[in-house]
């Protein structure tokens, strides 16, 4: 089982919103430029060749990214509705996009941080609402 890095969702100073996420042998980075998310194979030798982009692109700037454990899905938080987008993931890269969340978070300025609980059945997201609670949302995750 791979190590998953955890972080404090409400403390914006804990980690920068665009930090790479590593799990198993993948490194995922969310960013400002289309395709808004990039994933590379990762090993002791360093970066491999970038995986292809998702067939269904993200709607806007990626702000946070995480994998399920084991890495069979990748979830990205971004600037515009539905604010959370998930894709199937395999050694071949991005798979089909999952259906959007039924009730997206009321993220005024986009989801900044995203992660799974230890049981891997809840997606937790945090976003900037500039003092307007709640800043944390949780969605059930079933594949």
């Amino acid at each position: 089982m791979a190590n998953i890095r955890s972080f404090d969702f409400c403390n914006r100073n804990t980690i920068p919103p665009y930090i790479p996420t590593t799990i198993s042998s993948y490194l995922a980075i969310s960013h400002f430029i289309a395709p808004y998310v990039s994933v590379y194979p990762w090993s002791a030798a360093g970066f491999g060749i970038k995986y292809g982009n998702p067939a269904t692109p993200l709607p806007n700037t990626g702000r946070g990214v995480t994998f399920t454990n084991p890495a069979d899905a990748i979830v990205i938080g971004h600037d515009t509705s539905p604010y959370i987008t998930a894709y199937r993931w395999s050694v071949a890269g991005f798979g089909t996009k999952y259906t959007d969340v039924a009730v997206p978070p009321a993220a005024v300025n986009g989801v900044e941080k995203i992660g799974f609980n230890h049981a891997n059945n809840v997606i937790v997201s945090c976003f900037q609402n500039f003092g307007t609670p709640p800043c944390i949302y949780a969605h059930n995750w079933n594949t």
Side-chain angles (χ1 to χ4, degrees):
M1 184 179 287
N3 275 332
I4 297 178
R5 184 166 186 215
S6 62
F7 49 87
D8 177 357
F9 282 96
C10 278
N11 183 349
R12 291 185 56 223
N13 297 321
T14 303
I15 68 169
Y18 312 105
I19 193 162
T21 298
T22 58
I23 184 168
S24 187
S25 56
Y26 308 114
L27 182 116
I29 306 164
S30 57
H31 45 80
F32 288 108
I33 300 168
Y36 309 115
V37 64
S38 298
V39 182
Y40 298 86
W42 180 256
S43 69
F47 287 97
I49 297 171
K50 181 183 173 290
Y51 284 95
N53 299 332
T56 304
L58 289 174
N60 204 321
T61 300
R63 291 188 165 267
V65 60
T66 192
F67 288 95
T68 56
N69 190 11
D72 59 359
I74 183 171
V75 181
I76 304 102
H78 46 82
D79 274 352
T80 56
S81 187
Y83 302 106
I84 297 171
T85 300
Y87 301 91
R88 288 176 177 22
W89 182 261
S90 72
V91 295
F94 286 96
T96 56
K97 180 181 171 289
Y98 283 98
T99 304
D100 292 335
V101 294
V103 180
V108 173
N109 292 300
V111 168
E112 281 208 358
K113 298 176 182 170
I114 195 160
F116 283 91
N117 67 340
H118 289 291
N120 215 45
N121 60 3
V122 176
I123 298 172
V124 181
S125 60
C126 182
F127 53 89
Q128 296 181 40
N129 251 4
F130 300 107
T132 305
C135 83
I136 297 176
Y137 276 86
H139 298 277
N140 288 328
W141 175 256
N142 299 323
T143 56

